[in-house]
Amino acid sequence: MPVLETHHLTHHFGGLAAVSDFNLAIEPHELVGVIGPNGAGKTTVFNLITGVYRATDGSISFADTEIVGKTPSEITSLGIARTFQNIRLFRELTVLDNVRVAHYAQVRYNAIEALLHLGRFQTEEKSILEHSLDLLASLKLESYTDELSKNLPYGLQRRLEIARALATRPQLLLLDEPAAGMNPQEVGQLMEFIQWIRQEFKLTILLIEHQMHLVMGICERLLVLDFGETIAEGKPREIQNNPRVLEVYLGETQ
Amino acid sequence: MTYVFQQLLNALQVGSIYALIALGYTMVYGILTMINFAHGDLFMVGAFFCFFAAIFLNLPFVPVLVISMVGVALLGVVIERCAYKPLRQAPRVSAIITALGVGLFLENFTLALNPYPKQVPQLLANTTWIFHGVSISSIALFIVILSLLLMLMLDLIVRRTMVGMAMRAISWDKAVVPLLGVPVDLIISLTFAIGTSLGGAAGVMYGLAYPVIDPYMGIMVGWKAFISAVVGGIGNIRGAMIGGYILGALEILVVAVMPSTYRDFVAFVLLLILLIFRPYGILGKPHPQKV
């Protein structure tokens, strides 16, 4: 049974249908890609799933729970995490603190325990710190632990953003153009990296990407959006030969 | 020399109160980028809570302090929820005008209840020690120490706890934080609660040091604390603490060398100069606007 399922998901900005009738079912551990030209509504789909926008119509269920109408922080606590097209780290916080803050939903101690450094405060803060350090180590960021995140090279900032998303302990990870701004060699490494985190953290992954090489190389299934409509769905090979997709991407009709 | 030390002690006492109030301005600015112009009046309400708890409930100092801090914190949270939250997406100037309105409301509501200035009873015994010619009042010493303790506690919360980290994260990127599982509205409420409770504590201390209180006392003190926050760099917590003491020292210095009526005037001149030449204050950093 699917991890994430959307039915007739629709979103209007004023009179403009940014997403219309979007249907998707992702099985556990699947790696699905969403592609389409700029302005096709891909990021809007992510914003709908994560609760940043409230869908005009349709439903989204995650692990059997209806999530339309829940707040972004509730949805994150249920197990959906995401990264952003343009990297949005907390630039003035250290690498470690960027990851630590994403543990917020797991905190159970109250203000008084925190003030007096008593009870659950000590044990929870310790386990959050340990989990953060483990995460940084497994993503090979441990040598930058106390560096301000703005000082990291671009590729590592991308990786830190994924680490921060993983810190919320998600089941479903949404990656918004993870390869943006990378050269072909870096894209190759990123492909291996995405495959690896999927295994290591037992993730289901939905990603948006423009780099066809990456999408065709690692996604098991693709959806193609254009002007908010799903114009094709299928295995990468099928999509590559789909005449409507070629039309959208190459702007030609034969 | 004794004169200098004497004045230094006075500066520390005034500066502590300014610093505590300045923290409320700066914390709210940090998280919402708005100036809560009602904050000075919340300080005044703190002094009145102190008066009521001491007179009508006949309580000793510690419970009075707790009641004032908790009472003002609750009031701060209610104000945020009712008056500011609906305007969060509105232009900043709307929220600022609302804050001025809330301030006027608090002043006039208090005035309606207490048409005359009130005298806060002496909650703590005041002894004065003479140390090498410098007279040290136990109340002044107490105010400075208690303020420093409260500020230390705040610093620990902001730097060490998850709540503090969430506050700092929100001040950097409000849109991303909820997507990391942080309940933003709750953190904003907590920020208001903590910031205004410090204002409440300052109200109690003010009542200890200068026992006559009235509904308009928060205006000028509030402005001074606001200037302190700007001096330190608005949005910067340690900056607000330092700014409070700088302003306290400046005032005492002005009174020492100029007619005392120049005191407030010089404070506002400082504000204007800062806003022109260094609007990000001592510890703040300029944020170049990307075009």
Side-chain angles (χ1 to χ4, degrees), chain A residues 50 52 72-73 76 82 84 88 90 92-93 97 100-105 107 109 114-115 121 125 128 164 168, chain B residues 153 157 160-163 165-166 168-170 172-173 175-184 186-187 190 285:
Chain A
T50 52
V52 174
S73 62
T76 306
R82 72 177 282 185
F84 301 86
R88 292 180 77 168
F90 303 116
E92 301 286 331
L93 293 187
D97 284 352
R100 274 172 74 195
V101 75
H103 287 82
Y104 192 90
V107 168
Y109 63 74
L115 274 179
F121 178 81
E125 286 280 339
I128 287 170
R164 187 178 69 176
T168 65
Chain B
M153 243 156 77
I157 292 176
R160 294 285 170 77
T161 68
M162 294 296 288
V163 168
M165 215 173 323
R168 285 186 288 150
I170 291 176
W172 282 106
D173 194 333
V176 170
V177 172
L179 296 165
L180 300 175
V182 179
V184 173
L186 181 71
I187 300 291
L190 278 173
K285 280 184 211 138

Side-chain angles (χ1 to χ4, degrees), chain A:
Chain A
M1 70 152 270
V3 177
L4 182 83
E5 208 171 359
T6 71
H7 281 293
H8 308 297
L9 191 62
T10 299
H11 193 64
H12 292 270
F13 290 115
L16 176 82
V19 174
S20 54
D21 199 17
F22 182 80
N23 294 289
L24 168 73
I26 312 180
E27 297 298 323
H29 213 53
E30 229 185 339
L31 206 172
V32 179
V34 180
I35 61 172
N38 285 324
K42 305 182 297 294
T43 298
T44 307
V45 168
F46 272 23
N47 283 335
L48 291 171
I49 296 174
T50 52
V52 174
Y53 300 148
R54 194 193 166 122
T56 317
D57 199 12
S59 68
I60 308 170
S61 72
F62 173 71
D64 261 350
T65 315
E66 176 61 40
I67 58 172
V68 172
K70 290 197 186 296
T71 65
S73 62
E74 287 167 348
I75 291 170
T76 306
S77 310
L78 285 173
I80 302 181
R82 72 177 282 185
T83 64
F84 301 86
Q85 227 174 89
N86 43 339
I87 302 176
R88 292 180 77 168
L89 291 168
F90 303 116
R91 297 169 52 78
E92 301 286 331
L93 293 187
T94 63
V95 167
L96 176 63
D97 284 352
N98 264 279
V99 175
R100 274 172 74 195
V101 75
H103 287 82
Y104 192 90
Q106 295 148 40
V107 168
R108 294 287 167 272
Y109 63 74
N110 60 38
I112 293 164
E113 286 170 317
L115 274 179
L116 302 174
H117 282 234
L118 283 178
R120 289 173 292 190
F121 178 81
Q122 300 271 11
T123 48
E124 282 186 23
E125 286 280 339
K126 197 165 160 239
S127 81
I128 287 170
L129 182 65
E130 277 168 7
H131 186 245
S132 305
L133 290 172
D134 285 351
L135 205 55
L136 290 176
S138 64
L139 268 59
K140 303 205 171 46
L141 287 164
E142 73 270 39
S143 47
Y144 302 94
T145 306
D146 297 317
E147 195 70 55
L148 291 186
S149 70
K150 66 176 178 187
N151 296 335
L152 291 193
Y154 184 79
L156 293 184
Q157 291 195 8
R158 285 247 170 240
R159 207 191 295 169
L160 175 58
E161 214 190 23
I162 294 175
R164 187 178 69 176
L166 292 174
T168 65
R169 301 179 200 258
Q171 274 175 269
L172 173 66
L173 181 62
L174 311 179
L175 299 172
D176 196 345
E177 296 196 29
M182 289 189 174
N183 64 37
Q185 193 202 342
E186 288 170 327
V187 172
Q189 290 167 357
L190 179 70
M191 286 165 69
E192 282 172 32
F193 179 70
I194 292 174
Q195 295 282 24
W196 179 78
I197 56 169
R198 176 161 74 138
Q199 294 298 330
E200 183 73 19
F201 298 94
K202 302 182 177 56
L203 295 169
T204 308
I205 297 179
L206 179 64
L207 64 85
I208 294 173
E209 193 44 73
H210 279 300
Q211 302 243 12
M212 284 306 139
H213 174 57
L214 181 142
V215 178
M216 296 298 166
I218 61 171
C219 293
E220 288 151 356
R221 197 148 58 85
L222 292 178
L223 277 87
V224 189
L225 292 190
D226 189 32
F227 292 111
E229 312 244 359
T230 311
I231 59 166
E233 184 178 355
K235 294 202 170 2
R237 190 179 314 236
E238 298 160 14
I239 296 292
Q240 261 169 329
N241 300 316
N242 183 312
R244 274 201 77 186
V245 176
L246 291 177
E247 190 186 315
V248 163
Y249 268 90
L250 303 174
E252 280 171 21
T253 42
Q254 284 168 337

Side-chain angles (χ1 to χ4, degrees), chain B residues 53-211:
Chain B
I55 293 287
F56 296 122
L57 304 176
N58 213 2
L59 292 168
F61 177 73
V62 174
V64 167
L65 179 69
V66 172
I67 286 177
S68 297
M69 287 180 74
V70 172
V72 175
L74 288 177
L75 188 59
V77 171
V78 169
I79 289 172
E80 193 274 325
R81 280 288 148 118
C82 301
Y84 303 157
K85 195 175 171 219
L87 293 171
R88 224 177 268 165
Q89 308 304 327
R92 293 296 80 190
V93 71
S94 311
I96 288 174
I97 292 169
T98 306
L100 288 168
V102 170
L104 287 170
F105 169 82
L106 292 175
E107 284 158 26
N108 288 292
F109 183 75
T110 314
L111 184 73
L113 291 180
N114 309 279
Y116 304 104
K118 299 284 187 228
Q119 171 97 28
V120 176
Q122 202 186 354
L123 288 165
L124 293 175
N126 192 6
T127 9
T128 305
W129 300 291
I130 308 286
F131 185 75
H132 290 287
V134 183
S135 67
I136 303 171
S137 96
S138 60
I139 292 216
L141 206 61
F142 180 76
I143 287 175
V144 174
I145 292 172
L146 183 60
S147 304
L148 289 173
L149 273 178
L150 288 172
M151 287 187 250
L152 185 71
M153 243 156 77
L154 176 72
D155 202 66
L156 284 176
I157 292 176
V158 171
R159 274 166 206 280
R160 294 285 170 77
T161 68
M162 294 296 288
V163 168
M165 215 173 323
M167 284 175 185
R168 285 186 288 150
I170 291 176
S171 74
W172 282 106
D173 194 333
K174 234 182 268 8
V176 170
V177 172
L179 296 165
L180 300 175
V182 179
V184 173
D185 287 343
L186 181 71
I187 300 291
I188 290 175
S189 289
L190 278 173
T191 307
F192 265 85
I194 296 173
T196 52
S197 72
L198 293 176
V204 175
M205 291 181 209
Y206 193 90
L208 289 181
Y210 316 99

